[in-house]
């Protein structure tokens, strides 16, 4: 069914075309590749900036580029960290490593990513790309396009990231590049190697290029946090026959805190009284090994024909040990026998009372030994053709992109119930002994912790994407219509599928089905190791004086001693899903060139039509006659689909030789996450909820326009400003869509816990729309324009500020901006370069943003974060260069909080990282 929508263009909202419409046609790419070759040969950061500006000016639309030597010379650990220097681009970090890319601070899934014009597969469950999988050394250039044309593959509301790998005719003849680097993390006190190699040569009409990059990374992260809010509705709100649903909690709360609950089944009331759910001390040791390789074969007998095979292979092996010492503040019925309240705080704007410093009769304390291992294989193959036939340029592409990811997560849990006191601190939270006679030292009482289980979870994701594209374009010079300069049209077919399997199993005794360890075996019965020896390095959170170390079971001991012989994990039907998506797109657009007065102008306008069909399948839970539940014997399928027309119009005007006016307007869309449209049902017993997939979800749409001025200075300088607006509608939100009555809930031991009404939640397209607008500034200034004494010095800076109209996605009506949207971001790099020496100091800042909405009620913020990196290079001759890099040299902490900074949810250190390397080019 055709979706009818209104698309309005402002008179100023004219627009763009882009460098990477399809890999550009023969004559155009030849000129660009020759320029790029000079950058790779010289290794000059200044020249790479000049080349990036040339690319920006030649594009019709709003875009920014980064090229090979720029990527190589910046201090970075992967491609995501290289991209964070670009205007409007920020990253999401995990344990000190850049992982996902945000364009103009919109969530990472709002960004469309392609490599060599193929949509990039990933091992995530959604559409976003895990950039930590890619080694930056195998990349030739990246262009971030912030506006779209009819020729661009749809999928990115925030923008698109077009990545290209190197090809043999990028170089003039033979080229060899090799580098070796050693990096050191100050917390783990470990050193890691990285090496890269590229070899390229041309043989008449033929060329071959191969590259390889390998790196290892060892990183320790220490983290203390208050975790999250736990609402009193946990004990008050749910209906059923369980002891959890008594009036005890309400009575104790009023007696010990003076807080009265009028209606314990009114979630709007009970969810506004919250306590510190869990205090967690955590230490992580992350060990990663990554390699990537490319192969490019080109046949190029003339400037009129080129046939290229591109292959990209890679593997990312990620292993993380996590050791937790934590305490739930109120975790059982017995906990609510008494509440000793030392302090509380009220968030008046939200009507929420937080019990900030409390002890309970029986707090649940946990020692958790966790292990997370994932292995991702990535592969991509494509054949691209550029062919000039008479007046026509023909571009063709067939390709495949795929990723397979297997993840194993383990959790060994020991529990002790004792009275302790939990409270927020300025750096997170802490658990200390209380005045209760049953109190204890949670860190040094291993005999009090009883074995619960050793759980292993296994997940397998397979992501496959096939594509075929054919484009035709023709240049025109007509006396009857001189303004028309080019016509272009084409078609693209994509076939995407993602399959996910998941399973879990628990060892609770020395053999299958044996539960003899549960409640009898203590932490002291196993071999214990001090936390500093488990994760390498020094004292745990040495900068926080109130923190202390502890000892617990190593993950290697748990694997060898606490899993019975023959232990394994089977995939579970309720966790399976498969989604297939097939899209046919056709487009047509035209370019015009004319003068307005004595000012040259260009205009690009076009329309893209897409037809998308979705088929989703999963196993469904059914209620049997005896009251038990089971699953369908085969997956149940459901189909959906939609069609859409996406118009665009683009405009540039050269006000003078150095000043360019740009404008862009288009309609774009972002398809729903594959996990959201998967036709499956999962259950959350603790929340009394079912969560269903929704194959009928439609895309999220955006009507967008942008207007900007760019002043191109001598010697590669640039001053630019632009204003943009996006009206976004159909945002995917989780919503209550039904209730299942009379669900029997069982305890772990198989006894009946109670009979409840379970709410059914689905992802739906929210009604209405919201606006995101902002201003972006770019300043790239070589200081030699001010004085010859400043030759080689310069600054490369950008700043983006946003405003949005969304005022709530919380069930409590708490005003909440879109997840991931930061009001301000900026990058600042000062550099110096001469023939033999270069130096850069870079600062990257991202304002606070909502990371997620806890329990669909309380926004959890990632606090503002700024990081300073430095790099130095010294060339001993034209071929060999030594480099020294420092990442996070001021040792910044990653912080987060729930609703207000007074309630920290994260306080995490990953330490400084230093690298020394040498690179040779022949």
């Amino acid at each position: 069914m055709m979706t009818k929508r209104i698309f309005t263009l402002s008179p100023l909202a004219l627009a763009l075309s882009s460098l990477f419409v399809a890999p550009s046609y023969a004559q155009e790419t030849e000129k660009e590749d020759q320029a790029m070759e000079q950058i790779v040969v010289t290794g000059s950061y200044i020249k790479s900036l000049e080349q990036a500006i040339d690319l920006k000016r030649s594009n019709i639309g709003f875009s920014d580029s980064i090229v090979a030597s720029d990527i190589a010379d910046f201090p970075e650990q992967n491609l995501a960290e290289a991209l964070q220097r670009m205007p409007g681009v920020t990253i999401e970090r995990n344990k000190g490593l850049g992982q996902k890319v945000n364009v103009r601070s919109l969530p990472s899934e709002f960004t469309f990513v392609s490599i060599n014009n193929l949509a990039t597969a990933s091992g995530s469950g959604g559409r976003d790309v895990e950039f930590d999988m890619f080694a930056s050394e195998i990349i030739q250039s990246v262009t971030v396009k912030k506006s779209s044309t009819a020729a661009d593959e749809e999928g990115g509301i925030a923008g698109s990231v077009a990545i290209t790998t190197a090809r043999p005719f990028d170089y003039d003849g033979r080229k060899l590049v090799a580098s070796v680097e050693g990096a050191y993390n100050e917390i783990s006190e470990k050193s890691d190697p990285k090496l890269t190699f590229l070899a390229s040569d041309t043989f008449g009409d033929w060329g071959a290029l191969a590259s390889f990059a390998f790196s290892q990374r060892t990183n320790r992260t220490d983290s203390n946090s208050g975790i999250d809010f736990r609402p009193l509705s946990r004990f008050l709100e749910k209906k059923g026959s369980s002891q959890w649903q008594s009036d005890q909690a309400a009575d104790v709360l009023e007696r010990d805190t003076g807080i009265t609950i009028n209606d314990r089944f009114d979630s709007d009331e009970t969810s506004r009284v919250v306590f510190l759910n869990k205090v967690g001390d955590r230490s992580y040791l992350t060990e990663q090994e990554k390699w990537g390789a490319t192969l490019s074969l080109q046949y190029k007998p003339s400037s009129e024909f080129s046939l290229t095979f591109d292959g990209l292979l890679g593997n990312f092996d990620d292993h993380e040990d996590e050791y937790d010492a934590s305490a739930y503040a109120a975790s059982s019925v017995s906990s609510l026998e008494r509440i000793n309240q030392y302090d509380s705080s009220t968030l008046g704007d939200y009507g929420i009372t937080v019990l900030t410093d409390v002890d309970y009769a029986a707090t649940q304390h946990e020692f958790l030994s966790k292990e997370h291992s994932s292995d991702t294989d990535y592969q991509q193959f494509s054949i691209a053709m550029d062919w000039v036939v008479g007046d026509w340029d023909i571009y063709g592409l067939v390709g495949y992109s795929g990723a397979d990811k297997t993840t194993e997560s383990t959790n060994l849990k020991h529990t002790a119930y004792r009275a302790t006191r939990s409270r927020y601190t300025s750096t997170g939270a802490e658990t200390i002994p209380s005045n209760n006679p049953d109190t204890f030292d949670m860190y040094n009482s291993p005999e009090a912790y009883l074995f619960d289980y050793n759980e292993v979870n296994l997940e397998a994701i397979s992501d496959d994407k096939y594509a075929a594209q054919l484009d035709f374009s023709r240049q025109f010079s007509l006396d009857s219509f001189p303004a028309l300069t080019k016509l272009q049209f084409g078609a693209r077919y994509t076939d995407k599928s993602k399959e996910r399997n998941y399973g879990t199993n628990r060892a609770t005794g020395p053999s299958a089905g044996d539960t003899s360890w549960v409640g009898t075996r203590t932490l002291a019965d196993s071999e214990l190791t001090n936390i500093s020896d488990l994760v390498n390095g020094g004292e745990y959170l040495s900068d926080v004086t109130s923190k202390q170390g502890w000892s617990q079971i190593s993950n290697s001991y748990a694997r060898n001693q606490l899993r019975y012989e023959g232990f394994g994990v089977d995939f579970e039907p309720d966790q399976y899903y498969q989604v297939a998506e097939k899209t046919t797109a056709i487009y047509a657009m035209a370019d015009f060139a004319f003068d307005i007065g004595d000012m040259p102008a260009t205009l690009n306008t076009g329309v893209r039509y897409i037809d998308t069909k979705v088929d989703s399948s999963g196993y469904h839970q059914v209620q049997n006659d005896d009251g038990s539940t089971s699953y369908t014997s085969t997956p149940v399928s459901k189909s959906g689909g939609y069609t859409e027309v996406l118009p665009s119009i683009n405009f540039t005007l050269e006000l003078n030789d150095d000043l360019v006016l740009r404008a862009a307007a288009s309609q774009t869309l972002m398809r729903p996450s594959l996990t959201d449209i998967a036709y499956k049902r999962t259950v959350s017993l603790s929340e009394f909820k079912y969560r269903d997939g929704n194959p009928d979800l439609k895309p999220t749409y955006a009507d967008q326009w942008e207007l900007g001025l760019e002043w191109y200075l001598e010697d590669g300088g640039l001053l630019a400003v632009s204003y943009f607006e996006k009206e976004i509608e159909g945002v995917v939100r989780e919503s209550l869509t039904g209730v299942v009555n009379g669900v029997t809930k069982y305890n772990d031991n198989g006894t009946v816990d109670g009979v409840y009404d379970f709410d059914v939640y689905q992802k739906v397209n929210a009604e209405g729309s919201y606006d995101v607008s902002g201003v972006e500034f770019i300043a790239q200034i070589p200081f030699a324009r001010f004085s010859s004494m400043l030759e080689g010095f310069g600054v490369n800076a950008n700043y983006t500020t946003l405003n949005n109209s969304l005022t709530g996605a919380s069930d409590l009506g708490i005003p909440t901006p879109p997840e991931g949207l930061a009001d301000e971001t900026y990058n600042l790099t000062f550099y110096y370069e001469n023939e033999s020496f270069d130096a850069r100091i870079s600062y990257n800042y991202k304002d606070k943003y909502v990371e997620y909405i806890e329990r669909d009620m309380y926004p959890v913020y990632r606090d503002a974060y700024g990081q300073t990196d430095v790099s130095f290079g010294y060339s001993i001759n034209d071929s060999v260069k030594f480099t020294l890099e420092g990442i996070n040299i001021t040792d910044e902490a990653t912080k987060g909080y729930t609703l207000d900074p007074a309630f920290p949810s994260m306080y995490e250190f990953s330490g400084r990282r230093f690298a020394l390397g040498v690179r040779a080019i022949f």
Side-chain angles (χ1 to χ4, degrees):
M1 180 178 68
M2 177 74 75
T3 305
K4 297 181 183 291
R5 306 177 67 251
I6 298 174
F7 179 69
T8 305
L9 295 180
S10 160
L12 292 176
L14 308 168
L16 86 126
S17 169
S18 159
L19 173 66
F20 294 97
V21 167
S24 303
Y25 303 106
Q27 297 99 329
E28 296 172 353
T29 42
E30 189 172 7
K31 295 176 182 178
E32 292 161 3
D33 291 346
Q34 288 172 355
M36 221 170 267
E37 173 219 334
Q38 294 178 348
I39 294 174
V40 176
V41 172
T42 62
S44 166
Y45 174 65
I46 292 177
K47 289 188 178 297
S48 72
L49 292 179
E50 292 174 357
Q51 174 66 14
I53 286 182
D54 289 343
L55 293 176
K56 181 180 181 68
R57 182 165 188 171
S58 64
N59 293 346
I60 298 176
F62 290 89
S63 67
D64 294 283
S65 299
I66 187 170
V67 294
S69 66
D70 197 354
I71 297 171
D73 286 344
F74 263 125
E76 45 75 31
Q77 301 174 84
N78 59 22
L79 181 58
E81 296 191 358
L83 297 184
Q84 70 178 319
R85 316 297 175 186
M86 302 179 71
V89 177
T90 55
I91 62 175
E92 297 178 14
R93 289 180 170 87
N94 181 27
K95 312 297 188 310
L97 181 70
Q99 186 175 50
K100 296 181 179 180
V101 168
N102 310 109
V103 177
R104 288 175 169 168
S105 289
L106 289 166
S108 59
E109 61 267 23
F110 280 41
T111 300
F112 178 78
V113 180
S114 65
I115 297 181
N116 295 333
N117 204 28
L118 288 176
T120 307
S122 77
S124 72
R127 296 182 188 271
D128 52 337
V129 174
E130 298 169 315
F131 279 86
D132 53 2
M133 185 170 60
F134 298 111
S136 59
E137 289 80 7
I138 65 175
I139 304 303
Q140 174 73 350
S141 67
V142 182
T143 291
V144 177
K145 299 189 291 183
K146 300 165 186 176
S147 50
S148 58
T149 69
D152 293 321
E153 186 174 358
E154 67 286 345
I157 284 178
S160 62
V161 177
I163 302 169
T164 60
T165 57
R167 291 172 169 176
F169 282 98
D170 292 344
Y171 306 96
D172 185 12
R174 180 176 300 171
K175 188 63 57 185
L176 298 175
V177 181
S179 67
V180 179
E181 180 181 284
Y184 175 80
N185 175 256
E186 68 169 358
I187 298 184
S188 69
E189 300 178 354
K190 290 287 187 178
S191 297
D192 304 311
K194 180 167 75 172
L195 61 91
T196 62
F197 178 76
L198 180 146
S200 178
D201 203 354
T202 55
F203 318 94
D205 297 340
W206 292 88
L209 179 148
S211 71
F212 179 80
F214 171 84
S215 65
Q216 291 180 334
R217 179 180 182 269
T218 305
N219 200 82
R220 172 177 160 183
T221 299
D222 290 345
S223 175
N224 166 246
S225 65
I227 314 301
D228 55 21
F229 284 173
R230 176 62 67 91
L232 261 296
S233 56
R234 168 181 169 87
F235 305 102
L236 301 173
E237 181 184 326
K238 287 295 174 184
K239 298 177 182 178
S241 60
S242 169
Q243 59 175 336
W244 291 81
Q245 313 311 321
S246 70
D247 290 324
Q248 177 193 23
D251 294 340
V252 171
L253 182 72
E254 182 174 2
R255 183 193 69 197
D256 292 350
T257 70
I259 299 172
T260 301
I261 300 296
N262 297 309
D263 182 357
R264 67 183 180 92
F265 298 110
D266 180 2
S267 66
D268 190 69
E269 180 182 9
T270 59
S271 297
R272 293 184 190 276
V273 180
V274 301
F275 52 85
L276 170 58
N277 182 31
K278 188 178 182 182
V279 177
D281 290 299
R282 294 178 171 83
S283 198
Y284 305 84
L285 182 66
T286 305
E287 297 172 300
Q288 298 170 330
E289 185 174 288
K290 175 172 56 181
W291 65 265
T294 66
L295 174 65
S296 181
L297 303 175
Q298 269 187 299
Y299 174 62
K300 194 172 184 178
S302 69
S303 62
E304 296 181 344
F305 184 81
S306 175
L307 189 65
T308 306
F309 167 82
D310 288 308
L312 176 63
L313 296 175
N315 176 266
F316 184 42
D317 188 1
D318 186 6
H319 179 270
E320 181 176 87
D321 289 306
E322 175 187 346
Y323 298 100
D324 297 4
S326 57
Y328 283 98
S331 52
S332 70
V333 176
S334 61
S335 299
L336 296 174
E337 294 173 357
R338 191 198 69 254
I339 302 174
N340 284 339
Q341 179 186 3
Y342 299 89
D343 191 21
S344 65
S345 179
T346 300
L347 295 172
D349 291 343
Y350 313 118
I352 291 177
T353 299
V354 185
L355 305 181
T356 58
D357 187 347
V358 186
D359 75 52
Y360 301 87
T363 296
Q364 177 179 316
H365 303 81
E366 297 177 341
F367 269 28
L368 306 174
S369 298
K370 298 182 178 182
E371 191 173 14
H372 180 89
S373 300
S374 65
D375 187 80
T376 305
D377 288 313
Y378 177 82
Q379 54 276 328
Q380 178 172 308
F381 308 101
S382 64
I383 297 177
M385 177 192 70
D386 290 293
W387 190 12
V388 179
V389 183
D391 295 329
W392 289 93
D393 290 343
I394 303 174
Y395 169 77
L397 172 76
V398 291
Y400 164 78
S401 177
D404 296 286
K405 183 176 183 178
T406 302
T407 302
E408 182 181 278
S409 300
T410 70
N411 183 15
L412 171 62
K413 180 180 178 181
H414 287 73
T415 305
Y417 291 92
R418 296 288 191 278
T420 51
R421 178 179 175 183
S422 297
R423 63 186 180 185
Y424 279 104
T425 68
S426 61
T427 59
E430 64 181 1
T431 298
I432 58 176
S434 73
N435 296 326
N436 189 285
D438 195 33
T439 192
F440 79 140
D441 179 356
M442 65 167 285
Y443 296 97
N444 296 292
S445 305
E447 68 285 347
Y449 287 84
L450 299 179
F451 179 95
D452 276 345
Y453 53 76
N454 186 16
E455 182 177 84
V456 181
N457 304 302
L458 186 65
E459 181 181 49
I461 293 177
S462 179
D463 186 6
D464 297 289
K465 299 181 179 181
Y466 299 87
Q469 180 173 329
L470 190 61
D471 295 298
F472 300 87
S473 67
R474 179 177 176 177
Q475 303 287 340
F476 286 91
S477 180
L478 302 175
D479 294 336
S480 58
F481 193 3
L484 177 63
T485 60
K486 185 178 180 181
L487 285 177
Q488 183 172 325
F489 57 90
R492 186 180 182 99
Y493 175 78
T494 60
D495 186 342
K496 305 174 185 178
S497 64
K498 185 164 287 193
E499 183 179 44
R500 186 246 198 182
N501 275 292
Y502 182 90
T504 186
N505 193 12
R506 289 180 175 180
T508 54
S511 61
D514 190 335
T515 61
S516 59
W517 288 348
V518 179
T520 60
R521 185 184 179 100
T522 72
L523 192 66
D525 292 330
S526 296
E527 179 182 280
L528 303 180
T529 305
N530 185 271
I531 187 65
S532 295
D533 296 324
L534 286 171
V535 294
N536 298 329
E539 182 183 354
Y540 168 75
L541 276 182
S542 57
D543 68 313
V544 181
T545 55
S546 64
K547 290 300 166 185
Q548 59 178 298
W550 66 93
S551 296
Q552 66 183 93
I553 299 171
S554 71
N555 284 319
S556 60
Y557 181 92
R559 282 195 311 273
N560 296 328
Q561 302 297 324
L562 300 178
R563 293 190 198 178
Y564 53 81
E565 185 177 353
F567 179 88
V569 178
D570 295 325
F571 290 134
E572 299 169 359
D574 64 318
Q575 297 293 329
Y576 170 86
Y577 69 79
Q578 184 179 43
V579 180
E581 180 182 87
K582 298 179 180 180
T583 300
T584 302
I586 57 174
Y587 76 93
M589 66 182 189
D591 292 346
F592 303 89
F594 48 91
D595 292 334
I596 300 178
D598 59 353
M599 297 177 294
T602 62
L603 177 69
N604 167 278
T605 184
V607 64
R608 186 178 186 89
Y609 169 83
I610 59 170
D611 181 7
T612 301
K613 292 180 172 58
V614 176
D615 186 80
S616 175
S617 61
Y619 293 92
H620 277 216
Q621 189 181 64
V622 294
Q623 195 87 17
N624 300 319
D625 293 338
D626 61 359
S628 63
T629 59
S630 60
Y631 291 88
T632 56
S633 59
T634 58
V636 179
S637 298
K638 185 175 182 179
S639 298
Y642 47 88
T643 60
E644 191 55 81
V645 176
L646 304 176
S648 62
I649 185 169
N650 326 298
F651 179 74
T652 63
L653 180 65
E654 295 186 21
L655 302 177
N656 59 39
D657 290 343
D658 302 318
L659 190 62
V660 175
L661 172 72
R662 290 190 193 273
S666 61
Q667 186 181 96
T668 61
L669 62 79
M670 179 193 72
R671 292 188 169 88
S673 168
L674 297 178
T675 55
D676 292 341
I677 61 178
Y679 197 45
K680 62 182 178 66
R681 166 169 286 183
T682 58
V683 61
S684 174
L685 297 177
S686 63
E687 296 179 289
F688 302 90
K689 286 182 180 179
Y690 286 121
R691 285 184 167 88
D692 287 358
N694 184 3
D696 294 323
L697 274 176
K698 296 297 185 285
T700 299
Y701 298 92
D703 293 343
Q704 59 186 22
W705 66 271
E706 185 164 0
L707 179 68
L709 279 175
E710 299 166 1
W711 182 18
Y712 291 88
L713 309 175
E714 295 179 357
D715 301 321
L718 172 67
L719 293 173
V721 60
S722 66
Y723 174 82
F724 58 89
E725 283 193 7
K726 298 176 185 287
E727 182 181 356
I728 301 174
E729 62 177 292
V731 174
V732 175
R733 292 281 183 254
E734 188 173 70
S735 179
L736 177 66
T737 58
V739 177
V740 178
N741 298 313
V743 178
T744 302
K745 179 174 176 287
Y746 294 88
N747 296 313
D748 289 342
N749 60 10
T751 61
V752 175
D753 176 89
V755 179
Y756 306 93
D757 296 337
F758 272 46
D759 295 332
V760 178
Y761 280 79
Q762 280 183 300
K763 294 296 180 68
V764 299
N765 295 107
E767 297 291 333
S769 63
Y770 70 93
D771 295 325
V772 175
S773 61
V775 180
E776 189 168 272
F777 299 91
I778 302 172
Q780 186 171 308
I781 305 173
F783 291 163
R785 64 181 289 108
F786 305 117
S787 170
S788 60
M789 297 178 61
L790 298 177
E791 183 71 35
F793 288 94
V795 63
N796 182 17
N798 56 79
Y799 171 81
T800 303
T801 178
L802 298 180
N803 183 34
N804 79 89
S805 63
L806 185 65
T807 57
S810 160
D811 289 348
L812 298 180
I814 297 173
T816 305
E819 295 178 20
L821 191 67
D823 289 342
E824 293 183 323
T825 61
Y826 61 85
N827 297 279
L828 183 65
T829 297
F830 289 99
Y831 62 85
Y832 172 73
E833 181 176 289
N834 60 30
E835 291 184 356
S836 59
F837 177 77
D838 60 79
R840 277 179 296 287
I841 179 168
S842 300
Y843 183 76
N844 177 269
Y845 174 85
K846 184 176 184 178
D847 205 359
K848 71 179 187 297
Y849 63 93
V850 174
E851 192 170 11
Y852 60 94
I853 301 176
E854 176 66 32
R855 305 175 195 275
D856 304 319
M857 292 184 286
Y858 318 108
V860 178
Y861 286 84
R862 180 71 66 93
D863 209 353
Y865 181 85
Q867 180 169 304
T868 302
D869 306 320
V870 298
S871 65
F872 304 93
Y874 179 71
S875 300
I876 61 174
N877 54 42
D878 291 340
S879 299
V880 180
K881 179 179 181 179
F882 287 91
T883 59
L884 175 64
E885 300 175 349
I887 296 175
N888 190 24
I889 61 172
T890 56
D891 195 19
E892 298 297 325
T894 302
K895 303 176 184 179
Y897 59 87
T898 305
L899 273 176
D900 187 275
F903 310 114
S905 61
M906 175 185 291
Y907 186 73
E908 188 173 280
F909 276 94
S910 294
R912 303 176 181 89
R913 190 172 182 86
F914 301 96
L916 179 65
V918 59
R919 184 164 68 246
I921 302 175
F922 302 98

